[in-house]
Amino acid sequence: MTDRELRAAGIGDPALRAAYRHCRALNARHGRTYFLATRLLPVERRPAVHALYGFARWADDIVDSFGTGADTGRRAAALAELRRSLEDGLRYGRGDEPVVLALADTAHRYGIEHALFHDFMSAMSSDLTVTDYATYADLRGYMHGSAAVIGLQMLPVLGTVVPREEAAPYAAALGVAFQLSNFLRDVGEDLDRGRVYLPADLLAGHGVDRELLRWSRDTGRHEPRITAALREFEALTRGVYREALPGLGMLDPVSRPCIRTAFVLYGGILDAVAQDGYSVLHRRAVVPRRRRAAVAADGLVRAVTARLRAGRSSRRPGAPRPLPAPVLGGPCPPAAAEVG
């Protein structure tokens, strides 16, 4: 993490600075789309987003580490230890793990509800034993903790122009939309981990079950019934994006370019899957680099424009102000016009 970001956020303690840098490195290495969008945020808000991502990434890596089967006990023990560290961090502001130290500091600065982190950990624990979902309602129950809470954690950092509770359902829906996109893209990889996130009743409606998915994955052969099921799951996911869309206009204007960019890029995963003939059981669909660059460039223009407008509004007597989250560690400096 650049010193400019840390200085702008008012983070001076050496241990905290190191923890935030660690989270930023995790984001840069694993969350290419997320990291790219984060670069469009005002500089002082980026460390908090890196902390939220870094913790989620760390927990997710534990769930997917050590292989499968007999190693479930080791993963459960590692998750339990992370949960204990999280509880100490949130209560006392300390932690041996850098991701916990940064997360606890971010939660304090922005007043993020602790229950959101506990719900997330519960969802991660369920991934150790739950390998499929009978219905979409069951899947949405899981995604409350695995995805919706991520949107809700982000909301205080982004700030809103409406009361936060009004924007919350849309932020939660956007977290779910992003995860559904990943589920569609990663069907083959998740199957190799022993998991099927596509609802069983949706698959059964097209004559598909886990065994047919496994056959297609192993043989590399396409099956029209699977394609039809994947197409329905894509349509379902696009519906959640539409559900989340009104929330973009509820965000602080200087945060909108970041989330809009993420909205377009994650939605682009669905386009890539369709354009690749729904071959997700055989290879990962990728948003073309040229498309990513074009969306990022558009986001950059929007970000700079929003910050310039915010600067002019702040100097105009009686101008309405957005409702950013309180930063308990000290006042936030003004957003920088440069996106670096």
Side-chain angles (χ1 to χ4, degrees), residues 136 140 147-148 151 155 158 166-181 236-251 256 259-260 262-264 266-267:
Y136 180 58
R140 284 294 292 247
L155 201 54
L158 299 172
E166 185 178 337
Y170 302 99
L174 190 57
V176 169
F178 288 172
Q179 185 164 64
L180 288 171
S181 296
L236 180 154
T237 303
R238 291 189 187 276
V240 181
Y241 276 99
R242 290 191 295 272
E243 179 186 336
L245 182 59
L248 297 186
M250 299 179 184
L251 298 176
R256 290 175 199 165
I259 303 307
R260 181 186 180 279
F263 186 98
V264 174
Y266 273 94

Side-chain angles (χ1 to χ4, degrees), residues 27-37 53 284 286 289 292:
N27 195 351
R29 184 163 64 249
H30 296 289
R32 291 185 304 168
T33 297
Y34 202 71
F35 183 74
L36 178 62
Y53 179 90
R284 171 180 280 220
V286 177
R289 183 173 299 178
R292 287 165 51 85

